[in-house]
């Protein structure tokens, strides 16, 4: 008998996953990976599929829940004679960073049985069926457990209580009589090589099992608490389901490669008894980009870095023009779709499919999702480098070439292709994000060409994609059918949310595609039989639009209504049938949980006015008083003793990375600026402040090599300037505080250092600052011992902490300093530090080259020759080298504003 789709919970180990029913039966489990063939498949064939069930032998009631903030599932059974608790979990094998190693790890699925009260007879049924139940499986007794084998496949089940089984059979079934307080452990063991090792059939050690349980609790709770971005939201009553959604998304993360599965299942139907059954156990570029954005908003960055690094390697081998819509979790490109005719299908919904031929489709929208994820990552200094940008630049160039072509669209229609409006909008998004990233970091790219293409896309979409009759954007050119992706037009920034065409689209979709508080993705003919359920992600898009329209209470009411589509554990399927009130489609579905996270965060921020109403800002009068006081005294920013002691060798790195997190956490992407004024009352700022106090115990004398000294003082300069901006409540320009670079200081060891002391006294070898009469360190000043003997002019490119176009360097390090300083020069110059008019033989330079001209060379020609190698465009490099002796130089006015597009904060 088939259970409802929503009757399941999920456990996993970041490589595979198991669905556990409320009746204690594991009905879906693929091994060794989530996209491998099933070994328990009763979900898709109740008779032949195979299962691993633990339940009371007598009639029972049951309830399931997760241990708080974990993916450890607990099911409680109640009979007339007692209460049984079953705890299911899989220890996580890899806990730090994606791994390239496969074929060596042993994986474990534990089931712990505890009789809480009374007495009970418990039934255990172990019935594996390898390779989608296509192979004959035999079980053999082994060390208090059983060994299951079929061809080259094997796995071992061991228990702390004997499994009574007679020799070879295709299943094991036994009954245990348990008394209150009794505990039984079961361990299912297997490896990446599709078979088990001797240890997987050796006697189970209960102490090791308990240790694995505690370690698994610790892993999930530690991950959930981790904040790599510093972004924080107060979800209030949504906390439990928000955390469940984040944990589900992490569970679908395939750790060895950094990819993310769209769902752990295949062929759960979108129409019961129909043929809309697809295999979702792969990594979709689009779905993954959506997932990464949601995790990013929850504070997790490493998943984005891991996935983009994986994708970078894929594109490096095949090119952006051959990027597939989806891949296997280990990068497989051949996902040939086939039907398993021997399986019944969920409730007779056939065919059961494995593989997915959408992998061969052409879908334009994936490029926009990738660039959007890349732009979020670029909010954090050092998270986008030239290697990654090369991939993103290639994608932008490809989009500019192919955007006019028809495609199969986000919904992967099996008809078509068509000119989908959403696909065109996402091409615009790709180029818009590409331009933003390139300008932010001074990266190379055909920005002018991309902007022209963006203009062409916008004009065509507004002309051909909007229906005057319906006053709404349509699904594709040449139709009047609506599509819920029209809700994304304002969310992606293509048009403002209050544009009449957007408002009309929102209302039209709500009226035409809405049903009982849910939204269908479309209602037009897609060439398949049957009518699917409402699409939950689309309903969350509607919530987001209502929030942005200022209809907050209406949005919250809609969000609360959608929550009823979640199951008892807070898990969503892909779709929901409001008629039968049941989940449809693959389960649990990443897409839906992504939408839930984004809607909750959007709503919470709107409620608290996160961007519009900064908390704790000083009044203008108070700021004026503070700044006036600064005219008479220096402020030491790191007064006090630290709560946490940081090793000296780690201190500069910790300071710089924490400050980078602060900048990213308070980077308001819609406005394109870091909100320094909001940082001061944050927990992350308090963390940084405590770190800075460790400098009072730091001994600069321990720095030995020149590279080590240079890296340390560059890092210190960059963080002290931002620290001063935050501490003094500066909103717009450091010139709001007279003598800013001399008025703030850190105590480092026995001495105080201002930004001017660090730049001019140390990094410039105590050369006289511009417009100053004396050097920073006078004769006999003990700080002279820290001055560098030679000036590397590239330091001027690295001291750009408060600019939105700061170099993509997370932390300057001694080992990589030469490359990092060169990278800083490229960012500074190509980001607006130079303008070349070849016809007039004129070069316009940042005023930095005037102030520090002697640092860059003895004369004009030498300075221009120094600059030339940093330029991306070969024609610019050639021009400077050939015309350095006769070019006229002009200097651009210096912009002292924070968040400006170019310049250093000197």
């Amino acid at each position: 008998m088939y259970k409802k789709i929503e009757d399941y919970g999920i456990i996993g180990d970041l490589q595979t996953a198991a669905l556990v029913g409320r009746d204690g039966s594991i009905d879906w489990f693929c091994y060794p990976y989530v996209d491998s063939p099933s070994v328990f498949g009763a979900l898709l064939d109740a008779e032949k599929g195979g299962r691993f069930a633990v339940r009371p032998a007598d009639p029972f009631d049951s309830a399931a829940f997760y241990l708080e903030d974990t993916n450890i599932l607990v099911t409680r059974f109640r009979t007339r004679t007692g209460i049984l608790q079953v705890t299911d979990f899989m220890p996580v094998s890899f806990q730090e960073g994606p791994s390239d190693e496969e074929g060596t790890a042993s994986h474990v699925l534990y089931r712990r049985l505890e009789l809480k009260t009374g007495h009970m007879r418990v039934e255990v049924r172990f019935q594996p069926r390898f390779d989608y139940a296509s192979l004959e499986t035999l079980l053999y007794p082994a060390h208090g457990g059983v060994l299951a084998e079929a061809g080259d496949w094997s796995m071992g089940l061991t228990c702390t209580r004997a499994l009574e089984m007679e020799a070879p059979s295709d299943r094991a079934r036994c009954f245990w009589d348990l008394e209150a307080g009794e505990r039984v452990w079961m361990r299912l063991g297997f490896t990446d090589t599709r078979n088990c090792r001797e240890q997987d059939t050796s006697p189970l050690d209960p102490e090791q099992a308990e240790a694995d349980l505690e370690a698994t609790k610790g892993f999930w709770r530690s991950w959930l608490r981790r904040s790599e971005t510093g972004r924080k939201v107060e979800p209030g009553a949504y906390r439990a389901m928000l955390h469940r959604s984040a944990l589900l998304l992490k569970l679908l993360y395939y750790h060895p490669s950094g990819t993310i599965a769209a769902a752990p299942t295949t062929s759960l139907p979108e129409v019961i008894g129909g043929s809309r059954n697809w295999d979702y156990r792969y990594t979709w570029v689009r779905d993954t980009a959506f997932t990464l954005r949601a995790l990013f908003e929850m504070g997790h960055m490493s998943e984005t870095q891991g996935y983009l690094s994986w994708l970078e390697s894929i594109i490096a081998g095949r090119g952006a023009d051959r990027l597939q819509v989806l891949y296997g979790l280990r990068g497989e490109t051949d996902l040939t779709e086939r039907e398993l005719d021997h399986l019944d299908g969920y409730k007779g919904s056939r065919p059961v499919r494995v593989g997915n031929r959408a992998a061969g489709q052409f879908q334009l929208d994936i490029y926009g999702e990738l660039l959007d994820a890349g732009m979020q990552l670029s909010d954090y200094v050092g998270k986008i480098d030239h290697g990654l940008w090369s991939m993103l630049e290639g994608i932008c160039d490809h989009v500019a070439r192919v955007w006019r072509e028809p495609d199969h669209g986000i919904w992967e229609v099996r008809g078509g292709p068509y000119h989908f409006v959403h696909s065109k909008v996402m091409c615009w998004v790709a180029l818009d994000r590409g331009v933003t990233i390139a300008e932010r970091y001074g990266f190379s790219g055909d920005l002018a060409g991309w902007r022209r293409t963006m203009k062409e896309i916008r004009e065509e979409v507004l002309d051909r994609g909007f229906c005057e009759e319906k006053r709404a954007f349509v699904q594709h050119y040449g139709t009047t059918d609506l599509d819920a992706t029209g809700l994304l037009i304002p969310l992606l920034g293509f048009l403002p949310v209050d544009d009449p065409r957007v408002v009309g689209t929102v209302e039209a979709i709500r009226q035409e595609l809405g049903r009982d508080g849910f939204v269908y993705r479309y209602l037009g003919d897609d060439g398949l039989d049957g009518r699917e359920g409402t699409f939950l992600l689309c309903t969350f898009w509607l919530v987001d639009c209502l929030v942005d329209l200022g209809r907050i209470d209406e949005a919250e009411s809609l969000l609360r209504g959608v929550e009823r589509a979640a199951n008892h554990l807070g898990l969503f399927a892909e779709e929901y049938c409001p008629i039968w009130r049941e989940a449809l489609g693959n389960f649990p579905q990443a897409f839906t949980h992504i939408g839930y996270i984004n809607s909750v965060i959007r709503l919470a921020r709107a409620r608290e006015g996160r961007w519009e109403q900064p908390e704790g800002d000083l009044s203008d009068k108070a700021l004026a008083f503070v700044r006036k006081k600064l005219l008479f005294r220096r402020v030491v920013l790191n007064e006090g003793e630290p709560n946490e002691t940081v090793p000296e060798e780690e201190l500069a790195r910790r300071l710089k990375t924490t400050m980078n997190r602060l900048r990213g956490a308070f980077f308001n992407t819609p406005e394109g600026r870091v909100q320094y004024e909001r940082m001061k009352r944050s927990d992350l700022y308090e963390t940084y402040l405590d770190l800075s106090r460790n400098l009072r115990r730091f001994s600069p004398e321990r720095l030995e090599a020149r590279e080590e000294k240079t890296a340390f003082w560059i890092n210190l300069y960059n963080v002290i300037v931002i620290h001063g901006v935050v501490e003094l409540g500066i909103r717009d320009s450091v010139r709001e505080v007279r003598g800013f670079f001399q008025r703030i200081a850190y105590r480092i060891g026995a001495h105080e250092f201002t930004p001017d002391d660090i730049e001019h006294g140390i990094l410039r070898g105590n050369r006289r600052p511009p417009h100053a009469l004396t050097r920073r360190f006078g004769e006999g000043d003990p700080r002279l011992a820290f001055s560098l003997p030679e000036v590397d002019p590239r330091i001027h490119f690295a001291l750009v902490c408060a600019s939105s176009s700061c170099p993509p360097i997370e932390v300057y390090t001694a080992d990589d300093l030469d490359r990092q300083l060169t990278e800083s020069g490229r960012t500074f110059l190509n980001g607006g530090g130079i303008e070349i008019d070849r016809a007039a033989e004129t070069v316009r330079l940042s005023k930095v080259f005037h102030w520090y001209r002697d640092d860059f060379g003895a004369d004009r020609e030498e300075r221009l020759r120094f600059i030339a190698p940093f330029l991306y465009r070969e024609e610019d490099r050639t021009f400077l080298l050939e015309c350095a002796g006769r070019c006229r130089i002009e200097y651009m006015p210096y912009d002292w504003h924070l968040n400006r597009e170019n310049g250093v904060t000197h």
Side-chain angles (χ1 to χ4, degrees), residues 214-251:
E214 292 304 312
T216 305
K217 288 181 192 175
F219 172 81
W220 292 115
R221 289 170 178 168
S222 174
W223 177 83
L224 192 61
R225 288 193 303 267
R226 185 184 309 161
S227 178
E228 297 170 304
T229 67
R231 299 197 174 192
K232 187 177 181 182
V233 65
E234 296 299 335
Y238 298 100
R239 178 188 179 278
M241 281 192 60
L242 192 69
H243 284 187
R244 178 53 45 208
S245 292
L247 286 163
L248 183 275
L249 294 183
K250 180 63 174 178
L251 192 67

Side-chain angles (χ1 to χ4, degrees), residues 699-719:
S699 303
E701 296 83 358
R702 69 179 295 277
L703 303 171
E704 297 179 356
R706 182 180 184 279
E707 292 79 9
E708 186 179 14
K709 295 174 183 178
T710 303
F712 173 83
W713 290 110
I714 289 176
N715 289 324
L716 258 291
Y717 179 93
N718 280 327
V719 296

